[in-house]
């Protein structure tokens, strides 16, 4: 049992008391949890030490002037049925979604054989442009031409990197969603 569950159950059992009293009692128990946490105990250990929330509430409810104490703790809510049509329908949707994501993954793997080399080529394009600019003696580069080559280099590298990252992300997403 966690701290939140313990305090919620205790609060529910203390509902017959006045709100001010109830809040003071809950604050005291929160201090118990804080002191236990400072001494290195887990919430579960502190809950075990404190005991059942109903028993803790009885100590306060049995005081003079308190509300009449019920003899038994409230019964837990009935257990949900193990199988219902909504769960069956969710299972069908889940299987269908896995199938569709599996098909998407297979399609992307086939596409990757063409997309990854294209992305790498685009990222390597600045080196090709630099090589051409250095060894091409047929023209004298002007400031406008140099600016154009730099812009083209940045554009091609950025496009290649974007395609590479997008394809990788899509492959990872479809692999994860397919449940492989």
């Amino acid at each position: 049992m966690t701290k939140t569950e313990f305090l919620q159950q205790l609060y529910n059992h203390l509902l017959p008391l006045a709100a001010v009293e109830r809040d003071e009692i809950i604050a005291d128990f929160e201090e118990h949890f804080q002191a236990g946490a400072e001494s290195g105990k887990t919430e579960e250990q502190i809950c075990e030490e404190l005991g059942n929330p109903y028993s803790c509430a009885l100590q306060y409810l049995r005081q003079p002037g308190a509300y009449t104490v019920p003899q038994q703790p409230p019964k837990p809510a009935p257990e949900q049925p193990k199988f219902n049509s909504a769960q069956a329908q969710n299972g069908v949707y889940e299987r269908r979604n896995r199938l569709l994501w599996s098909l998407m993954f297979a399609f992307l793997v086939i596409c990757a054989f063409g997309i990854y080399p294209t992305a790498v080529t685009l990222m390597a394009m600045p080196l090709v442009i630099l090589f051409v600019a250095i060894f091409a003696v047929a023209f004298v580069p002007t400031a406008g031409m140099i600016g154009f080559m730099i812009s083209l280099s940045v554009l091609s590298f950025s496009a290649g990197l974007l395609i590479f990252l997008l394809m990788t992300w899509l492959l990872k997403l479809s692999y994860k969603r397919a449940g492989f």
Side-chain angles (χ1 to χ4, degrees):
M1 180 180 298
T2 66
K3 171 186 170 183
T4 306
E5 293 169 341
F6 183 90
L7 292 177
Q8 182 61 48
Q9 287 182 19
L10 179 64
Y11 184 86
N12 290 341
H13 294 304
L14 294 173
L15 283 175
L17 298 178
V20 174
E21 276 186 85
R22 198 172 43 237
D23 292 340
E24 288 176 8
I25 295 168
I26 295 296
D28 288 340
F29 277 91
E30 285 179 344
E31 289 177 13
H32 283 291
F33 276 98
Q34 186 177 11
E38 289 173 359
S39 65
K41 296 178 184 174
T42 65
E43 288 183 358
E44 290 81 16
Q45 291 171 333
I46 298 168
C47 288
E48 286 178 22
E49 289 177 3
L50 291 173
N52 184 350
Y54 180 73
S55 301
C56 294
L58 282 179
Q59 296 172 1
Y60 296 98
L61 293 172
R62 287 188 177 155
Q63 293 177 358
Y67 179 78
T68 308
V69 181
Q71 294 301 317
Q72 294 293 326
K75 294 180 181 178
E79 192 174 313
Q80 293 291 332
K82 301 242 186 250
F83 180 79
N84 61 31
S85 62
Q87 289 174 335
Q89 194 172 14
N90 286 342
V92 169
Y93 289 144
E94 185 176 327
R95 284 192 303 273
R96 185 198 66 195
N97 286 341
R98 284 185 176 224
L99 175 65
L100 291 175
W101 279 107
S102 298
L103 293 173
M104 179 70 158
F105 178 72
F107 174 74
L108 288 172
V109 166
I110 293 168
C111 290
F113 286 111
I115 291 176
Y116 277 127
T118 303
V120 170
T121 303
L122 283 171
M123 288 189 290
M125 191 63 119
L127 297 174
V128 173
I129 292 172
L130 178 66
F131 180 77
V132 168
I134 291 173
F135 293 107
V137 290
F139 68 91
V140 176
T142 62
M145 188 62 138
I146 292 173
F148 175 72
M149 286 190 288
I150 290 172
S151 298
L152 186 61
S153 297
V154 169
L155 177 69
S156 66
F157 182 81
S158 300
L161 184 61
L162 178 66
I163 291 169
F164 186 88
L165 293 175
L166 183 64
M167 187 65 185
T168 303
W169 178 75
L170 284 172
L171 279 168
K172 285 181 180 181
L173 176 69
S174 61
Y175 182 83
K176 180 179 173 185
R177 294 279 174 100
F180 291 126

